[in-house]
């Protein structure tokens, strides 16, 4: 056949006519143009079997020396994995299978060349260390395992929007450069904002509360930034948060919404990603029943029976939660007010709590955490909507009223009763797919040790 020219890095007038999933009975004997990168190659001397991968999967390309010009065949023979090529050729059935197809090239264009072999395979989970993978994250994301993870992540995001839109929520966007801490504390990333200091937002909390005045029901899916010096497999410095806020409800209503949202997500993934789940060897959690709810005080009482060192007001060890609940979704409710941010509404005193000096630690809050085993996925609460109560709570937490004047002034105009939650997208993905490391639930992880790529 005539050598039509190979121009490296030039697409020219070539355009894809079919994705891999469209190579089927309906196009047998048709000439198609397929484009992608080489995921694997088998060399049998005068015959090459090339797996060409696009965003939907692989197409087998059968390349015979006698049917191509010498320099085209030799160029293909020398190409390494990850090189990009375009193929114009005829679709035929594979001889050894009635259900598979391959493309016999009539013309080939090499679009980019991989100059060195990748340090890990795309076909399977490699035993190579995660830091080596993250240094070449764009290549790492081509691996089958992560392709499946991020296809499921895409379904999760779509299903979240579907559920909230169907329940009359408005998607919003809030500032990520802020003047003061959203939730107090020191876990902030300072930045220069023209001639003054600012911070990256820990959450959209105060803005989404204000937006309930205008839209009643709002949600945002966006990054949050936490400068926590943690080196665990479940912490990120930059994470995606699903933040939901609703007017004229309390925290019990928001638990219902969150429970239903998680079950909607699980059902959507089961419906749309069975191929990916099978490839991962993963079965999603059973969510046929509403999630159980246990108060913080009851949990402490139960744990104290076998762990005498536990005191009311303490955090609960992840190991103890794992031993107690296993792998299931559940809510821990009515946390001590002392453990919650200033905007969380308080409720009655807890009779079993031990008094202490200073602020009475027995005060409870209208709050909840959604857990999966030992992993915290979400926190939510009824918010304070009375300006005086909010200012009193800020004072107890050692926060300056002046720093939050932009927020407090809104309460002079009647902020409605409201409640909400924030859900960690990466943690949810990590939990339901049983990922070992949260860094494999985000595209380019940021943590205490990593700022590149």
């Amino acid at each position: 056949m005539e050598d039509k020219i190979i121009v490296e890095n030039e697409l020219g007038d070539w355009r894809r006519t079919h994705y891999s999933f469209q190579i089927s009975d309906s196009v047998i004997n048709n000439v198609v143009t397929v484009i992608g990168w080489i995921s694997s190659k088998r060399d049998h001397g005068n015959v090459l079997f090339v797996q060409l991968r696009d965003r939907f999967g692989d197409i087998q390309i059968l390349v015979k020396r006698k049917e191509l010009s010498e320099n085209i065949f030799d160029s293909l023979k020398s190409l390494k994995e990850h090189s990009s090529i375009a193929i114009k050729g005829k679709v035929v059935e594979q001889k050894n299978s009635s259900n598979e197809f391959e493309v016999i090239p009539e013309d080939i264009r090499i679009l980019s060349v991989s100059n060195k072999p990748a340090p890990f395979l795309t076909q399977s989970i490699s035993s190579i260390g995660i830091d080596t993978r993250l240094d070449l994250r764009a290549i790492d994301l081509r691996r089958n395992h992560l392709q499946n993870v991020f296809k499921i992540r895409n379904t999760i995001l779509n299903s979240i929007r579907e559920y909230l839109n169907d329940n009359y929520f408005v998607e919003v966007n809030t500032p990520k450069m802020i003047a003061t801490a959203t939730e107090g504390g020191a876990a902030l990333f300072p930045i220069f904002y023209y001639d003054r200091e600012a911070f990256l937002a820990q959450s959209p909390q105060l803005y989404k509360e204000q937006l309930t005045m205008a839209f009643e029901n709002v949600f945002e899916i966006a990054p949050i930034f936490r400068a926590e010096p943690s080196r665990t497999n479940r912490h990120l410095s930059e994470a995606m948060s699903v933040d939901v806020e609703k007017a004229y409800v309390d925290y019990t209503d928001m638990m219902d919404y969150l429970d239903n949202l998680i079950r909607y997500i699980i059902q959507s993934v089961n419906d749309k990603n069975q191929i990916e789940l099978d490839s991962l060897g993963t079965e999603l959690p059973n969510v046929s029943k509403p999630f159980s709810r246990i108060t913080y005080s009851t949990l402490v009482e139960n744990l104290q029976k076998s762990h005498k060192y536990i005191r009311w007001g303490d955090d609960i060890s992840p190991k103890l939660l794992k031993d107690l609940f296993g792998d299931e979704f559940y809510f821990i409710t009515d946390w001590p007010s002392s453990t919650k941010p200033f905007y969380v509404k308080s409720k009655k005193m807890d009779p079993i709590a031990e008094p202490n000096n200073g602020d009475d630690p027995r005060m409870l809050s209208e709050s909840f955490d959604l857990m999966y085993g030992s992993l915290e996925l979400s926190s939510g609460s009824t918010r304070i909507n009375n300006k005086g109560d909010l200012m009193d709570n800020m004072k107890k937490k050692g926060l300056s009223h002046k720093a939050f004047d932009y927020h407090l002034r809104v309460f002079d105009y009647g902020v409605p009763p409201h409640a909400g939650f924030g859900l960690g997208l990466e943690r949810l993905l990590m939990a339901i797919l049983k990922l070992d490391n949260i860094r494999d639930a985000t595209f380019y992880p940021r943590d205490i040790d990593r700022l590149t790529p």
Side-chain angles (χ1 to χ4, degrees):
M1 106 175 234
E2 180 186 352
D3 183 354
K4 293 188 178 176
I5 196 69
I6 299 174
V7 181
E8 185 178 320
N9 299 324
E10 287 290 340
L11 187 62
D13 60 356
W14 285 43
R15 295 294 183 271
R16 174 190 283 123
T17 62
H18 293 76
Y19 281 106
S20 54
F21 77 92
Q22 296 169 317
I23 304 301
S24 62
D25 288 319
S26 63
V27 292
I28 287 179
N29 294 323
N30 289 3
V31 174
V32 299
T33 300
V34 291
I35 303 177
W37 56 277
I38 298 174
S39 63
S40 67
K41 186 177 66 174
R42 288 179 288 136
D43 187 344
H44 294 270
N46 291 325
V47 178
L48 299 176
F49 293 93
V50 177
Q51 292 295 316
L52 182 70
R53 178 169 297 183
D54 61 26
R55 69 174 300 262
F56 292 103
D58 287 314
I59 310 162
Q60 179 157 294
I61 310 299
L62 176 59
V63 187
K64 298 179 180 179
R65 182 184 291 274
K66 65 182 181 180
E67 296 178 358
L68 287 173
S69 65
E70 196 72 18
N71 68 323
I72 293 179
F73 185 88
D74 289 341
S75 295
L76 280 172
K77 194 178 179 72
S78 66
L79 287 179
K80 297 180 176 65
E81 276 191 12
H82 300 291
S83 299
S84 294
I85 58 175
I87 304 286
K88 287 183 181 178
K90 182 183 292 186
V91 178
V92 299
E93 286 189 272
Q94 286 191 35
K95 293 179 180 179
N96 298 326
S97 172
S98 60
N99 298 317
E100 298 294 330
F101 310 92
E102 56 194 6
V103 176
I104 310 296
E106 297 179 358
D107 196 7
I108 296 175
R109 183 163 290 187
I110 298 173
L111 303 174
S112 69
V113 174
S114 175
N115 294 315
K116 58 175 67 174
F120 38 79
L121 300 175
T122 58
Q123 290 84 359
S124 61
I125 301 176
S126 173
S127 60
I128 200 164
I130 190 169
D131 282 320
T132 300
R133 293 196 289 105
L134 291 177
D135 286 341
L136 284 173
R137 187 56 162 174
I139 305 303
D140 189 32
L141 290 168
R142 282 181 160 180
R143 289 191 303 122
N144 294 347
H145 178 77
L146 290 182
Q147 285 282 300
N148 291 323
V149 168
F150 284 97
K151 286 176 182 177
I152 291 171
R153 180 186 185 273
N154 189 60
T155 298
I156 290 173
L157 284 171
N158 288 337
S159 63
I160 290 170
R161 287 189 166 95
E162 287 169 6
Y163 176 82
L164 293 172
N165 284 327
D166 288 347
N167 283 277
Y168 312 111
F169 283 81
V170 175
E171 185 166 6
V172 299
N173 300 104
T174 62
K176 301 304 162 213
M177 296 183 290
I178 59 174
T180 189
T182 304
E183 303 186 14
L188 289 161
F189 287 110
I191 59 173
F192 289 110
Y193 189 77
Y194 300 106
D195 60 346
R196 56 195 182 277
E197 185 180 52
F199 305 93
L200 296 179
Q202 295 167 304
S203 88
Q205 181 60 45
L206 305 186
Y207 292 105
K208 66 176 181 171
E209 286 192 53
Q210 293 185 20
L211 288 170
T212 62
M213 293 186 71
F215 302 105
E216 291 194 9
N217 311 331
V218 298
F219 76 96
E220 180 174 25
I221 303 174
I224 58 171
F225 305 89
R226 301 289 173 96
E228 297 171 334
S230 299
R231 287 184 173 89
T232 75
N233 66 352
R234 57 178 65 189
H235 284 90
L236 291 169
S237 300
E238 179 181 2
M240 292 297 292
S241 182
V242 180
D243 276 274
V244 179
E245 205 76 15
K246 182 173 174 61
Y248 310 113
V249 294
D250 67 12
Y251 75 127
T252 61
D253 300 296
M254 296 315 293
M255 278 189 277
D256 292 339
Y257 271 98
L258 182 52
D259 188 319
N260 290 330
L261 173 61
I262 298 296
R263 287 190 281 139
Y264 186 88
I265 291 169
I266 297 290
Q267 185 61 56
S268 296
V269 174
N270 273 325
D271 289 344
K272 298 174 182 177
N273 296 101
Q274 201 55 57
I275 292 174
E276 289 78 18
L277 292 171
D278 290 344
S279 179
L280 292 169
T282 299
E283 186 174 330
L284 297 183
N286 184 341
V287 290
S288 56
K289 297 179 181 179
F291 306 152
S292 61
R293 302 181 185 185
I294 183 171
T295 67
Y296 171 85
S297 296
T298 301
L299 179 59
V300 168
E301 278 189 291
N302 292 343
L303 289 172
Q304 283 176 338
K305 294 172 184 176
S306 53
H307 303 279
K308 301 298 184 184
Y309 61 87
I310 291 178
R311 294 290 179 266
W312 195 94
D314 290 347
D315 277 336
I316 309 297
S317 158
K319 184 181 184 305
L320 295 181
L321 293 173
K322 180 73 171 178
D323 293 343
L324 198 60
F325 293 98
D327 288 333
E328 64 176 82
F329 290 102
Y330 60 96
F331 289 102
I332 302 175
T333 71
D334 303 339
W335 287 78
S337 287
S338 59
T339 67
K340 292 297 178 181
F342 70 90
Y343 51 79
V344 175
K345 187 174 183 179
S346 297
K347 57 183 295 186
K348 63 181 176 62
M349 309 282 275
D350 190 277
I352 74 158
E354 300 172 7
N356 202 346
N357 295 327
D359 292 334
D360 198 322
R362 297 173 296 177
M363 186 67 75
L364 295 176
S365 61
E366 294 189 9
S367 63
F368 62 84
D369 287 355
L370 175 65
M371 310 293 297
Y372 182 79
S374 61
L375 189 63
E376 178 190 332
L377 305 181
S378 173
S379 287
S381 67
T382 308
R383 321 304 193 183
I384 297 173
N385 72 304
N386 177 278
K387 183 176 182 179
D389 292 342
L390 189 59
M391 294 176 70
D392 288 345
N393 220 29
M394 291 173 66
K395 184 177 180 180
K396 290 177 184 177
K397 303 285 184 180
L399 298 174
S400 164
H401 295 167
K402 184 178 179 181
F404 290 89
D405 178 67
Y406 75 94
H407 184 58
L408 290 170
R409 71 179 67 159
V410 176
F411 287 75
D412 292 329
Y413 301 93
V415 174
H418 58 285
F421 61 80
L423 170 67
L425 178 65
E426 290 89 356
R427 286 198 172 191
L428 176 62
L429 192 60
M430 183 184 182
I432 66 174
L433 296 186
K434 301 177 177 60
L435 302 179
D436 294 328
N437 197 312
I438 198 169
R439 288 155 188 79
D440 276 337
T442 189
F443 295 99
Y444 291 95
R446 292 291 178 261
D447 55 45
I448 191 172
D449 297 313
R450 181 170 289 276
L451 191 56
T452 59

